[in-house]
Amino acid sequence: MNRKHLLFILSFALLVTSCKKTTETATENKVTIFADSLIQEAVDSSRIAGAAVLIHQNGETLLNKTYGYASLELQVPVPEEASFEIGSVTKQFTAAAILKLAEDGKLSLEDDFRDYVPYDTGGREIPISALLDHTSGIPSYTEIPEFWEMSMRTYPRDSLLRLVEKEPFLFEPGERMIYNNTAYFILGLIIEKVSGKTYEEYLRETIFDPLGMDNTYYCSTSTVIPDKVYGYNYTEDGLMQKPYLDHTWPYAAGSLCSSASDQLKWLKAVHEGGFFSDSLYESLIEPARLNDGTQLRYAKGLSVFKDYGQLRIGHGGGINGFLSQTLYYPEEKLYIICLVNTTGPVGAGYLANELSWQLLEKEKYASQTPEVAAETLAGAYKGQVRGRVLQLEVELSPEGLIVGEAGRAEKDTLTVYVGNSTWMDGNDMLKFTDTGIVIDEVSGYYILEKQ
């Protein structure tokens, strides 16, 4: 090879590297400018106290930044490695622990959960898998008014199950899906029963320590923990301190604390290999099916669905004073992690979605001409949803279907028809059947009957 040819190759390699770095820098700057504007405005307007945001794509960190305050009272900024209460993001760790125990032969997902935890199901056999995907029909304790009277106190854990046992099943196992914190509470008890360790100990030894997640732990209302941020609630009168909640109760459904960087360690270990075997990973992210074969958009502690054309795997969380969202878009190798120390209208889910629109080429749903007789759809519909019975009213207008809860002034006009008697409201689906409406909200699959 002559010297001129060698110089050309070296110059070309440098040019490619330079172009790649320039592209990465431009993307990083674009993301930073947008995120700074979006989140700092929420802080400045006192809609949130603070946040930590991490965006990672194709092996490069595009943004890893904190905003606002860990303590409004002391005006302390959110530290770089701040830990937040992550609420229901906890569920994917619980699901992972159950799958690990299954892989070790300690249990089977088809085992009746009553083999491990005493509970009166009225004779119903319910597999552990139905706890993981919210299809058990057991009521969620967070939807029972009496729970909130005990939520600030410490009682034996089984007292919660005795409270829920008194409530009727919401539906027969496998017939529907309604988001269920009781199911994950029970899964935590199963983990302890089978492993012989506390929930916290098992996760520490199996997940946190091996992955170097030094800022992830079971939350405490008494232990002093460095870099743990305070939580707040948004109100019309300004930000207020969050109400107290004893961490006996969120437990395996929502009692973990973590940092944005630790969440990235976890997500990369799960989705890029190394933590699960291939078969176990596929089990984790495989969407569940109802008894009639209907495929849901929820798997095991994770939602899995097309977000305006982009495959999205993730989960959000909400607990007193905190909102969280962790997302992975496998086709784009993109991770978005948002942790916010405020409950209110500007949550982690909102921020993550806004950021995703900046980073991805999402495609809004194209509306078709309905092939169904729209006038036959008008009327009242009623059915069990999360925490209550919903009565929905459907009206017609030249613009589309007007849908709203009976007795409330707020209505939605659905204009995006995607075929098969189905309208879209964002990523939510509303499908008309011969007997009523099916509402698929990803984290809930509700059946309303026409009245």
Side-chain angles (χ1 to χ4, degrees):
M1 181 182 293
N2 62 43
R3 187 169 182 272
K4 287 184 178 179
H5 187 55
L6 177 61
L7 287 173
F8 171 78
I9 292 174
L10 291 173
S11 298
F12 181 74
L14 288 172
L15 176 62
V16 170
T17 302
S18 176
C19 289
K20 181 181 178 183
K21 287 182 177 179
T22 300
T23 302
E24 289 171 352
T25 300
T27 302
E28 185 176 348
N29 288 342
K30 177 184 175 183
V31 171
T32 301
I33 291 169
F34 180 79
D36 285 354
S37 174
L38 177 71
I39 303 168
Q40 193 60 51
E41 191 278 331
V43 172
D44 293 342
S45 62
S46 296
R47 288 184 291 168
I48 66 172
V53 179
L54 197 159
I55 300 173
H56 187 88
Q57 187 172 28
N58 294 318
E60 299 287 337
T61 296
L62 304 181
L63 179 71
N64 185 9
K65 196 169 181 179
T66 62
Y67 300 84
Y69 298 98
S71 167
L72 291 175
E73 291 83 354
L74 300 176
Q75 291 290 285
V76 176
V78 176
E80 184 177 345
E81 287 298 321
S83 61
F84 294 68
E85 296 188 26
I86 60 173
S88 286
V89 172
T90 297
K91 288 182 171 67
Q92 59 195 274
F93 293 93
T94 300
I98 289 289
L99 290 181
K100 282 290 190 182
L101 290 169
E103 185 177 48
D104 293 340
K106 302 287 183 67
L107 56 80
S108 167
L109 298 188
E110 299 313 307
D111 289 344
D112 189 323
F113 83 86
R114 296 174 300 170
D115 295 343
Y116 305 95
V117 177
Y119 189 93
D120 182 6
T121 65
R124 299 172 179 86
E125 294 184 3
I126 300 176
I128 291 174
S129 61
L131 302 179
L132 290 164
D133 57 32
H134 306 291
T135 60
S136 70
I138 297 172
S140 179
Y141 64 88
T142 48
E143 314 303 330
I144 299 174
E146 289 82 357
F147 164 70
W148 297 103
E149 297 175 9
M150 64 184 290
S151 66
M152 295 185 289
R153 297 177 175 83
T154 303
Y155 296 106
R157 279 203 167 113
D158 64 356
S159 60
L160 182 65
L161 299 185
R162 305 294 78 83
L163 172 68
V164 179
E165 272 179 333
K166 299 175 183 177
E167 300 293 319
F169 268 61
L170 300 181
F171 52 85
E172 290 305 307
E175 294 295 319
R176 306 181 187 187
M177 174 199 170
I178 294 182
Y179 194 83
N180 187 343
N181 286 306
T182 303
Y184 274 79
F185 189 95
I186 294 172
L187 289 169
L189 296 176
I190 294 174
I191 291 168
E192 294 191 346
K193 175 74 172 180
V194 172
S195 70
K197 301 172 182 177
T198 67
Y199 174 78
E200 181 178 11
E201 288 170 344
Y202 185 76
L203 263 61
R204 171 64 59 193
E205 294 175 12
T206 308
I207 301 175
F208 305 154
D209 285 347
L211 296 182
M213 297 174 65
D214 299 330
N215 295 307
T216 305
Y217 51 90
Y218 195 101
C219 301
S220 171
T221 55
S222 57
T223 304
V224 176
I225 301 172
D227 293 337
K228 167 70 165 62
V229 304
Y230 288 72
Y232 299 89
N233 284 0
Y234 174 84
T235 75
E236 293 181 355
D237 298 321
L239 296 180
M240 302 289 184
Q241 289 188 359
K242 69 178 180 70
Y244 179 83
L245 176 63
D246 190 298
H247 270 283
T248 302
W249 310 121
Y251 187 39
S255 265
L256 292 184
C257 287
S258 190
S259 66
S261 60
D262 270 12
Q263 286 302 296
L264 181 63
K265 291 177 183 177
W266 163 248
L267 294 175
K268 287 174 71 69
V270 170
H271 297 299
E272 295 183 17
F275 184 78
F276 286 118
S277 64
D278 289 346
S279 61
L280 213 61
Y281 175 69
E282 291 303 319
S283 176
L284 177 74
I285 65 169
E286 181 181 3
R289 290 185 181 273
L290 299 179
N291 294 341
D292 64 3
T294 298
Q295 188 172 64
L296 302 175
R297 296 189 286 171
Y298 195 96
K300 298 176 178 68
L302 289 168
S303 60
V304 182
F305 68 101
K306 287 284 188 176
D307 174 22
Y308 291 99
Q310 298 282 351
L311 181 60
R312 163 175 157 173
I313 304 173
H315 211 284
I319 195 168
N320 293 5
F322 295 89
L323 294 170
S324 55
Q325 185 70 265
T326 62
L327 302 178
Y328 173 54
Y329 292 88
E331 295 162 347
E332 299 289 340
K333 296 182 180 179
L334 171 66
Y335 300 90
I336 301 176
I337 299 161
C338 292
L339 308 176
V340 176
N341 62 336
T342 309
T343 53
V346 181
Y350 165 78
L351 298 176
N353 285 335
E354 290 294 308
L355 290 166
S356 72
W357 279 98
Q358 291 293 311
L359 289 158
L360 299 172
E361 294 182 2
K362 293 187 181 182
E363 298 178 0
K364 291 188 177 181
Y365 298 105
S367 186
Q368 306 172 21
T369 301
E371 74 278 7
V372 295
E375 62 272 11
T376 66
L377 308 179
Y381 299 80
K382 186 177 181 181
Q384 180 72 48
V385 298
R386 185 180 177 186
R388 60 199 176 99
V389 173
L390 172 66
Q391 184 160 325
L392 205 63
E393 293 179 343
V394 176
E395 305 170 12
L396 304 179
S397 78
E399 291 76 28
L401 289 182
I402 300 176
V403 180
E405 187 172 353
R408 293 195 177 182
E410 299 85 1
K411 308 285 184 182
D412 291 327
T413 300
L414 304 185
T415 60
V416 180
Y417 180 75
V418 293
N420 195 25
S421 301
T422 303
W423 275 260
M424 301 298 296
D425 184 9
N427 279 314
D428 296 339
M429 298 180 183
L430 190 148
K431 179 179 180 179
F432 288 86
T433 68
D434 291 339
T435 58
I437 295 175
V438 168
I439 301 174
D440 183 345
E441 293 184 342
V442 180
S443 61
Y445 187 90
Y446 311 127
I447 300 175
L448 279 59
E449 296 180 354
K450 192 166 186 178
Q451 302 300 292

